[in-house]
Amino acid sequence: MATVSGTVHMKYVGESDNIALFILDRPDKANAYHNAMICQFAEQLAAAVANPSIRAGVVTGAGDRVFCAGADISSFANRSYQDGLNLLSRQLFDNWANAPWPTVAAINGPAIAGGLELALASDLRICSPSSWFSLPEIDLGLIPAAGGIRRLTKLVNEARAKAMILFGQKVDSATALEWGLVSQISDRVLEDGIHLAEAAARRDPLATRLAKMALQSVNTSLGDASVEAVAQALLYNRKTQVE
């Protein structure tokens, strides 16, 4: 059986090696992730959270062409409704969003489907001029069920979220900046992303953690992951019934 390519690297970077940098490394497949990569990322994230010296996190894609194209669509055919209810990427992205320190998405190219959902789970997003953003899941008979609906709606308002999710609108980097989807466009995305993480890492860690918790509590009533879970479960089950 052929080995599936792709891995997730974590390394400690920054002035004091107190920033956890996660790299989605599958450039031959537009950094699309499969379940093994999600599990690897989850284990590495848990290790970083357990490390008391870590003060911030950064996620990026390998290479300079694509941040992440989302889940590898070749894995969709065999997914059951249980997979939709217990979507590994949803669990990972929620854990990333709830990390006890600030997180940055250094978006070095297109962020598509689950790739955008991962970026949305970050506290701050910066992108390259060539980046663009899309949630095309409905074209595959699915929905953005790893937090995309919840987080995009809160971030850019309901009308813009509907334009992207229901009407398939692609958003370029300039529009993303105008909408507040990203906070900065940079020709040195990873370097600037690490610098932003360093700035956060120099601040009081307990105050930072409590401030992040307070910010998250403001929006807890605006979305429910269980709705995503049930919807995706039904859609996965429909695919298996049709096939």
Side-chain angles (χ1 to χ4, degrees):
M1 183 176 179
T3 302
V4 179
S5 67
T7 189
V8 179
H9 301 291
M10 182 184 73
K11 56 184 179 180
Y12 299 137
V13 299
E15 298 168 342
S16 305
D17 287 334
N18 59 355
I19 295 164
L21 171 63
F22 300 86
I23 303 171
L24 304 173
D25 191 359
R26 202 184 180 203
D28 59 317
K29 297 293 184 179
N31 294 323
Y33 54 77
H34 46 69
N35 280 353
M37 290 173 66
I38 291 293
C39 292
Q40 188 177 25
F41 194 159
E43 291 173 1
Q44 294 172 346
L45 176 58
V49 169
N51 186 336
S53 68
I54 299 303
R55 295 285 181 267
V58 177
V59 63
T60 195
D64 57 3
R65 294 179 55 249
V66 181
F67 172 69
C68 177
D72 187 335
I73 61 174
S74 66
S75 67
F76 288 172
N78 297 321
R79 291 190 179 182
S80 68
Y81 73 89
Q82 290 99 332
D83 296 314
L85 286 173
N86 302 297
L87 197 63
L88 293 178
S89 56
R90 182 191 310 115
Q91 297 169 25
L92 170 64
F93 299 168
D94 284 351
N95 288 342
W96 178 249
N98 293 321
W101 15 257
T103 57
V104 179
I107 304 167
N108 52 321
I112 305 164
L116 177 51
E117 291 182 290
L118 172 58
L120 289 168
S122 305
D123 294 315
L124 197 66
R125 290 155 296 280
I126 67 172
C127 74
S128 65
S130 64
S131 296
W132 52 269
F133 306 87
S134 175
L135 290 172
E137 285 87 344
I138 286 179
D139 292 331
L140 301 173
L142 300 171
I143 64 169
I149 293 174
R150 286 179 282 145
R151 296 189 175 101
L152 184 65
T153 303
K154 289 185 286 188
L155 187 65
V156 302
N157 79 38
E158 184 178 346
R160 289 168 173 170
K162 285 180 176 179
M164 294 184 69
I165 295 168
L166 300 181
F167 295 87
Q169 180 176 343
K170 295 181 180 179
V171 174
D172 60 21
S173 58
T175 304
L177 182 63
E178 178 187 349
W179 284 8
L181 180 54
V182 301
S183 63
Q184 179 182 339
I185 299 174
S186 170
D187 291 314
R188 305 178 306 169
V189 166
L190 182 55
E191 182 179 344
D192 286 346
I194 292 173
H195 286 167
L196 286 166
E198 286 175 329
R202 288 191 290 266
R203 310 190 79 193
D204 182 88
L206 180 57
T208 298
R209 182 171 185 175
L210 292 173
K212 179 169 176 175
M213 291 173 63
L215 285 164
Q216 290 174 318
S217 71
V218 172
N219 293 314
T220 53
S221 64
L222 296 184
D224 189 340
S226 64
V227 175
E228 295 174 343
V230 172
Q232 198 75 322
L234 291 171
L235 292 167
Y236 281 156
N237 188 63
R238 182 189 65 176
K239 282 181 173 291
T240 61
Q241 297 301 315
V242 170
E243 295 169 1

